[in-house]
């Protein structure tokens, strides 16, 4: 059972509502995200100076899954970060990357808690 009071940026109830209450699907989404996205911040940092189109794809992908994970905060900052990338606004890219990194790191921590409690 997930201890909801430990979670600050992941709303499991919200995510379960989106996927029809199927906790098995939710835990599969969490596991796949942790497996495939755990190094996302490092990937973005490497690409920021050389390939903004690739950064936009990485952020867009994260944005797409963030609500299914139950993190509206991650969705919102991903949306803002992606928009800054599209506009090539370097001041906003820097600002939103910092916010994205912080929220993403918290989401990872909380998803690991969820995953441990599911095992």
């Amino acid at each position: 059972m997930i201890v909801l009071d430990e979670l600050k940026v992941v709303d499991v109830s919200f995510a379960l509502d989106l996927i029809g209450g199927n906790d098995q699907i939710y835990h599969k989404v969490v596991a796949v995200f942790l497996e495939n996205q755990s190094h996302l911040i490092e990937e973005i940092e490497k690409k920021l100076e050389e390939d903004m189109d690739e950064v936009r794809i990485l952020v867009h992908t994260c944005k797409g899954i963030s609500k299914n994970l139950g993190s509206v905060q991650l969705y919102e900052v991903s949306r803002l970060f992606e928009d800054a990338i599209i506009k090539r606004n370097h001041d906003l890219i820097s600002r939103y990357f910092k916010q994205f990194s912080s929220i993403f790191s918290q989401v990872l921590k909380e998803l690991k808690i969820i995953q441990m409690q599911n095992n």
Side-chain angles (χ1 to χ4, degrees), residues 14-15 18-19 25-26 28-34 36-37 40 58-72 74-75 78 100 104 107 111:
F14 174 80
L18 289 176
I19 59 172
I25 291 174
Y26 179 72
K28 178 68 173 173
V29 169
V30 168
V32 169
F33 185 84
L34 287 172
N36 295 330
Q37 301 295 317
L40 181 61
L58 293 170
V59 173
H60 181 80
T61 301
C62 184
K63 179 182 77 172
I65 192 68
S66 60
K67 280 189 178 180
N68 289 333
L69 294 168
S71 184
V72 174
L74 183 58
Y75 173 82
S78 296
F100 177 87
F104 184 87
V107 167
L111 293 177

Side-chain angles (χ1 to χ4, degrees), residues 36-82:
N36 295 330
Q37 301 295 317
S38 61
H39 300 290
L40 181 61
I41 299 303
E42 293 86 358
E43 289 180 51
I44 290 172
E45 284 177 328
K46 287 179 192 175
K47 304 272 185 197
L48 269 174
E49 297 298 320
E50 60 192 51
D51 192 349
M52 292 299 271
D53 291 328
E54 180 66 22
V55 172
R56 190 199 64 77
I57 291 167
L58 293 170
V59 173
H60 181 80
T61 301
C62 184
K63 179 182 77 172
I65 192 68
S66 60
K67 280 189 178 180
N68 289 333
L69 294 168
S71 184
V72 174
Q73 289 178 333
L74 183 58
Y75 173 82
E76 287 300 326
V77 73
S78 296
R79 185 182 61 74
L80 294 168
F81 188 21
E82 181 182 23

